[in-house]
Amino acid sequence: MDTQAFTEFARAERARLAGDRHRPGYHFLPPSNWLNDPNGLIHWRGRYHLFYQYNPDAPHWGLIRWGHAVSDDLVAWHDLPLALVPTPGGPDEDGCWSGCAIDADGQPMLIYTGVGAAGQRPCAAFGDDDLVVWRKHPGNPLIASPPPEAHQRDFRDHVVWREADGWYQLLGAGLVGAGGTALLYRSDDLLAWEYLHPLCTGDPATMGDMWECPDFFPLDGRHVLIFSPLPQRQTLWQVGRYAEHRFAPERGDLLDLGGLFYAPQSFHDSAGRRLMFGWIQEGRDEASQQAAGWSGVMSLPRVLSLLPDGRLGQAPAPELERLRGPAQHFEGIPLAADTPLRLEGVRGDSLEIDIEIDPGDAAALVLRLRCSPDGREHTDLIWDRTAGRLEIDRRASSLAAGTQRDIQGGVCPPEPGQPLRLRVFLDRSVVEVFAQGRALASRIYPELPDSLGIELAARGGGATLRAATVYEMSSTWTH
Ligand code: DQQ
């Protein structure tokens, strides 16, 4: 399909699904059907390009192609034709899996995992100036087989960067008798690659025996490694030092506390920022996804930084403020212990809630979202100050069958003497939260049409709502 035909197809698909009240309005998702990992993120000639793992045939994983969208501002996206499709009989005949985009001295290039008869192998494609038309390298695959010390089955996902003496690439893999790793390669021309060694390894008990989607980049004087280990199926970050082509992690943790954020990729833009997108998986069963006709959304663009304590910090990109519409503001409201406060007149499923609470002597603060007037449905965002954790409680998020009902969360300690600042992005079935440099993405599917209210509560002691602004958010998709 050329650009015009694909644009028309995408518009029709988006219009067909626009009435779905769980479908996000300002998180990126494909026209219909299945999305997983972000791929090939690049800021190219002033425009942001987002490629993604895409099955346009069905709302489940299958024969994977590369979808493509472009944006001037990280907020409003335009659909472009498929960038990569499997070539019958070729090394990617069974799928074009995850990979990265490279500016090879002005020549756009993709390195991705081709899946074919031989297994998972690195392949390359070269793009035109607009990154719309991609020509596969005739010499694919670029590497004939994994090194003998690695398991032969898992050899996929790529990050490429340049150093003074050449190009370097990491591939996700697992070492026989050891555990998950990222294998380091070097090249002069991006086509012929020489294997060096594993960049680093981790404890297989906690860091798995295969690392999907390694990402590696310098940040504020350190290096950051991000990877998604199997079988844990979570995403971890490590901050450390990179010297002599080895990485020595100094600290690390879970990248997202919600349990559904996976396989992220980052890139740097012309403003010098390190930006990241990740795949937010669904929180309902396959039958519900099949009935909906779509599955998977991209996270909001997150800006990465190193926090003063040396940890990896995440914040929503400031461009998202452009989506803010009419707002309601509250200030200086005492929160009596264990007495919920309903934010009167504030309702919605497409909101940004920017809130600052002085915790006083409360043990925990609870922001109750998407609550029905009768209290049968609600989702609780809980900051447990004593335990130093941020959690989302979805046990009452939806009356609908097939939706996840659990508590997910992770470490988010108080900052001494500081109020709690929360930024919560509600986008129909997506909840994406930023608190003190941490992030938590989750999914909820309230069934009752009036599950739209918001309440605040302090548990085990009183607190003060210093300020709260609730913005209605506009949709980036013109339905
Ligand atoms: N998804 C891709 C793989 C990657 C996995 C296939 C992570 O390349 O390892 O769709 O979600």
Side-chain angles (χ1 to χ4, degrees), residues 1-8 79-81 132:
M1 258 193 243
D2 64 12
T3 301
Q4 194 188 340
F6 190 82
T7 307
E8 278 164 24
D79 293 304
L80 289 173
V132 172

Side-chain angles (χ1 to χ4, degrees), residues 34 36-37 39 53-54 61-62 64 96-99 113 115 120 156-157 210-213 228 230 233 262-263 279:
W34 172 268
N36 57 298
D37 318 348
N39 292 153
Q53 294 280 283
Y54 182 29
W61 194 81
I64 292 294
C96 299
W97 288 12
S98 287
T113 300
V115 183
Q120 301 166 3
R156 62 179 180 273
D157 310 336
M210 194 276 159
W211 291 357
E212 294 193 305
C213 300
S228 298
L230 293 176
R233 246 188 117 72
Y262 197 68
W279 166 33

Side-chain angles (χ1 to χ4, degrees), residues 219 237 303-307 311-315 436-438:
L219 188 69
W237 61 262
V303 183
L304 302 182
S305 63
L306 277 200
L307 299 175
R311 302 176 59 84
L312 183 68
Q314 302 173 64
Q436 297 169 182
R438 266 84 171 179

Side-chain angles (χ1 to χ4, degrees), residues 213-233:
C213 300
D215 192 8
F216 189 59
F217 50 89
L219 188 69
D220 304 340
R222 289 284 195 281
H223 265 74
V224 180
L225 176 68
I226 292 175
F227 56 97
S228 298
L230 293 176
Q232 285 81 357
R233 246 188 117 72

Side-chain angles (χ1 to χ4, degrees), residues 428-445:
R428 304 200 179 117
S429 59
V430 181
V431 182
E432 200 167 344
V433 182
F434 297 87
Q436 297 169 182
R438 266 84 171 179
L440 183 158
S442 190
R443 306 296 300 278
I444 53 171
Y445 309 86

